[in-house]
Amino acid sequence: MAFLLERAREPTHRVAAFRTAAAVVDTLGPEELDRRIRTRTLTDLRGIGPKTGAAIVQAHAGEVPEYLARLEESHGELVPLADDVAEFRALLRGDLHVHSDWSDGGSPIREMAEAAIGLGHEYVALTDHSPRLTVANGLSAERLERQLDVVAALNEELAPFRILTGIECDINVDGSLDQTDELLGRLDVVVASVHSDLRADSTAMTERMLTAVADPHTDVLGHCTGRLLVPREQREGRRQRPRPESTFDAEAVFSACVEHGTAVEINSRPERLDPPLRLLNLAVDLGCEFAVDTDAHAPGQLDWQGNGCERAVECGVPPERVVNTRTAEDLLAWTAG
């Protein structure tokens, strides 16, 4: 539901209604949301009216809500960031989760870097997928080594801007990371994410995530629930349907992130917006560090950080606990540590 805010182009009072409804839905677990839709009791919740309720039902079913379609036809400007969100966004020095056409992104590394420079970033972490994710053209060890050489050459040309070497590494079912220790040790940033067996029971998923978080190579836990709020297109015309959250012991996983110095990603993609607000609030309360990332697969998506900043502000995330507010030198000292 909250993805509507990325594209809403209505007057402020109507956007506020969607913000309120999005916040209400984010407090619901997936089973409760399913039950509310099935029993037609969404509008019994304070803050959800007939229009926003209909949009939630249509989005949950994988459809583009009729109301959203009408907005996109009749309004041309995105709603600007609120002042406090804009101030938070201005503190970010880079983005730690970005894809290129080496895996499932749509643009060359240079284009992604130049777009980041245009946004005022000081650095961007190139985190193409690991080999197990074949649907995303994941990088074998050999391809990743070649990419490191390409990045080194680009960094000489683009200095003082820096492309940080990295990977979005698949978390295997046993919690191990889908790349060699030697290569992971050479990278600046490792984002570890679950992409398979997302419907595993809570105990199994918790153990899997705890093992990954404890791995000394893991710097950031990516899109922790794996949810998809709306359908999306993939490579070669594949279409992913909406997906509910994975279930796991969030308190145990976030506590492990604090213990092992692993940041929790605030994923800014409008179809993810992960973690949900109730889990983001929990991570804040437990003392986690965070990375506000776009998970961008195209240059224009690098500007999605405002989505994550909006959620960070709403949940009271202290900027000093966001690792990509740091200089490249301080960030790399943190990842090395």
Side-chain angles (χ1 to χ4, degrees):
M1 169 59 195
F3 82 99
L4 294 171
L5 300 179
E6 165 65 18
R7 298 162 71 183
R9 296 176 172 90
E10 275 277 72
T12 303
H13 70 282
R14 296 182 186 173
V15 173
F18 278 95
R19 292 184 193 280
T20 300
V24 172
V25 170
D26 251 341
T27 65
L28 305 177
E31 292 180 0
E32 175 64 7
L33 178 57
D34 287 339
R35 187 188 72 79
R36 288 279 182 180
I37 291 174
R38 187 176 64 254
T39 59
R40 300 183 181 181
T41 56
L42 266 178
T43 53
D44 291 349
L45 297 171
R46 185 180 179 87
I48 297 181
K51 286 184 178 179
T52 52
I56 293 167
V57 171
Q58 290 169 346
H60 193 67
E63 305 167 4
V64 176
E66 295 174 7
Y67 192 67
L68 174 58
R70 290 199 300 272
L71 296 186
E72 294 195 321
E73 287 179 3
S74 56
H75 296 276
E77 295 297 325
L78 286 174
V79 176
L81 296 177
D83 289 346
D84 53 354
V85 177
E87 290 172 7
F88 196 103
R89 167 67 184 82
L91 295 174
L92 300 183
R93 296 173 180 266
D95 192 330
L96 301 185
H97 188 168
V98 170
H99 297 273
S100 76
D101 60 0
W102 281 63
S103 64
D104 61 343
S107 298
I109 299 169
R110 176 188 286 276
E111 288 185 16
M112 297 299 290
E114 289 174 345
I117 293 170
L119 290 173
H121 286 335
E122 298 174 16
Y123 53 82
V124 69
L126 179 63
T127 54
D128 282 318
H129 287 285
S130 61
R132 187 174 186 271
L133 207 63
T134 54
V135 69
N137 194 30
L139 273 62
S140 65
E142 293 75 20
R143 291 181 64 216
L144 179 56
E145 288 201 76
R146 292 202 302 273
Q147 187 182 80
L148 297 183
D149 293 335
V150 171
V151 169
L154 283 171
N155 276 333
E156 290 186 6
E157 296 179 41
L158 299 175
F161 180 83
R162 181 164 179 176
I163 304 169
L164 304 179
T165 59
I167 191 171
E168 184 182 13
C169 201
D170 214 39
I171 299 174
N172 295 319
V173 173
D174 64 358
S176 62
L177 300 185
D178 179 39
Q179 192 48 272
T180 67
D181 279 350
E182 188 275 331
L183 265 178
L184 291 175
R186 290 169 58 186
L187 300 176
D188 295 324
V189 178
V190 174
V191 178
S193 305
V194 174
H195 290 105
S196 61
D197 298 289
L198 293 167
R199 302 273 59 81
D201 66 73
S202 178
T203 300
M205 184 62 78
T206 300
E207 288 303 315
R208 180 181 184 182
M209 295 173 75
L210 289 174
T211 300
V213 164
D215 191 301
H217 294 304
T218 301
D219 300 310
V220 179
L221 176 63
H223 48 71
C224 62
T225 77
R227 71 176 185 176
L228 289 178
L229 298 168
V230 292
R232 67 175 183 177
E233 302 297 328
Q234 289 187 298
R235 293 169 61 90
E236 300 174 357
R238 295 184 179 91
R239 184 174 174 84
Q240 276 188 304
R241 300 178 62 186
R243 185 169 60 215
E245 302 167 23
S246 295
T247 58
F248 58 93
D249 184 339
E251 184 169 352
V253 170
F254 293 155
S255 295
C257 286
V258 175
E259 178 184 355
H260 296 287
T262 298
V264 174
E265 180 179 71
I266 302 176
N267 190 291
S268 302
R269 289 193 69 85
E271 76 271 25
R272 286 195 182 274
L273 298 178
D274 202 359
L277 294 179
R278 72 182 193 285
L279 295 187
L280 183 51
N281 276 314
L282 175 63
V284 172
D285 291 344
L286 290 172
C288 291
E289 293 183 293
F290 300 92
V292 180
D293 298 331
T294 60
D295 195 354
H297 287 63
Q301 296 174 7
L302 287 163
D303 203 22
W304 280 347
Q305 273 186 320
N307 295 336
C309 292
E310 184 175 72
R311 299 167 73 77
V313 168
E314 183 169 354
C315 294
V317 174
E320 62 272 15
R321 278 162 54 186
V322 177
V323 297
N324 47 327
T325 63
R326 302 172 186 174
T327 64
E329 291 73 18
D330 288 344
L331 175 71
L332 292 177
W334 172 76
T335 61

